[in-house]
Amino acid sequence: MGREHTRVGSVVEDGICREDSIREGVVDAIADQFKDFYTDHLPFFVVLTGLKDGDLSTLRIEVGEPARDKFFEYIEQIAKKNGSGYLVGRSVTWADLLIVDYMFTLESKAPGYLDGFPTMKKVKKSVENTPKLKEYLAKRPNNAF
């Protein structure tokens, strides 16, 4: 996903694993799971968003929903376990932004598509209510993506 790890040796310092490094690893793992989901979900997504022609109903049933359910059931459990309104820790991470951005597009193109994942909808709301992001979203033009 284009991450650069610039802090070589940050995972273990003096033989003790730092909590921040563990969180970073969990965030990276979540993003890797998202990458796998995105790859599986893409054939449906490109038709849903009008980037390609195709049988949307068939793709939704055969591709979109199975990929969605596999990823969002997994990520829903992570969000529930964390319990803070975010995926990891008590503040927004780049994985929250990555997934919430995709959720925004899915919900704008297919209302109700994510209704079975209430905890992730809470994460989305928490992220969107982050003060600077909330300010940006209020001013952002309404684009296709």
Side-chain angles (χ1 to χ4, degrees):
M1 300 278 327
R3 295 180 299 279
E4 290 186 27
H5 296 282
T6 57
R7 295 183 300 171
V8 176
S10 68
V11 173
V12 178
E13 291 181 6
D14 298 324
I16 300 171
C17 194
R18 292 184 10 185
E19 190 173 329
D20 286 347
S21 296
I22 293 171
R23 275 197 290 262
E24 288 173 12
V26 172
V27 168
D28 288 350
I30 289 169
D32 285 342
Q33 290 294 318
F34 175 80
K35 180 184 69 170
D36 293 342
F37 157 70
Y38 181 79
T39 300
D40 293 344
H41 198 254
L42 191 59
F44 168 69
F45 184 79
V46 296
V47 173
L48 176 68
T49 56
L51 296 172
K52 283 191 173 183
D53 291 330
D55 183 346
L56 185 60
S57 296
T58 299
L59 284 167
R60 180 175 177 145
I61 292 166
E62 294 179 1
V63 176
E65 291 175 358
R68 174 202 64 191
D69 293 348
K70 180 180 176 184
F71 176 72
F72 277 94
E73 286 171 7
Y74 162 77
I75 205 74
E76 181 87 356
Q77 293 306 311
I78 289 173
K80 278 181 188 175
K81 185 176 179 182
N82 190 42
S84 70
Y86 302 101
L87 293 172
V88 179
R90 304 222 171 275
S91 61
V92 177
T93 66
W94 72 275
D96 290 295
L97 294 171
L98 177 71
I99 294 167
V100 165
D101 180 61
Y102 198 74
M103 290 175 69
F104 176 84
T105 303
L106 287 175
E107 289 180 331
S108 69
K109 300 294 181 183
Y113 188 69
L114 298 174
D115 283 352
F117 307 99
T119 305
M120 283 307 298
K121 286 189 161 221
K122 289 177 186 174
V123 168
K124 182 176 180 285
K125 189 172 195 159
S126 293
V127 170
E128 291 173 341
N129 283 323
T130 302
K132 287 186 179 184
L133 188 55
K134 186 175 184 174
E135 181 182 326
Y136 166 76
L137 291 172
K139 296 176 184 176
R140 178 178 71 173
N142 188 10
N143 294 325
F145 295 95

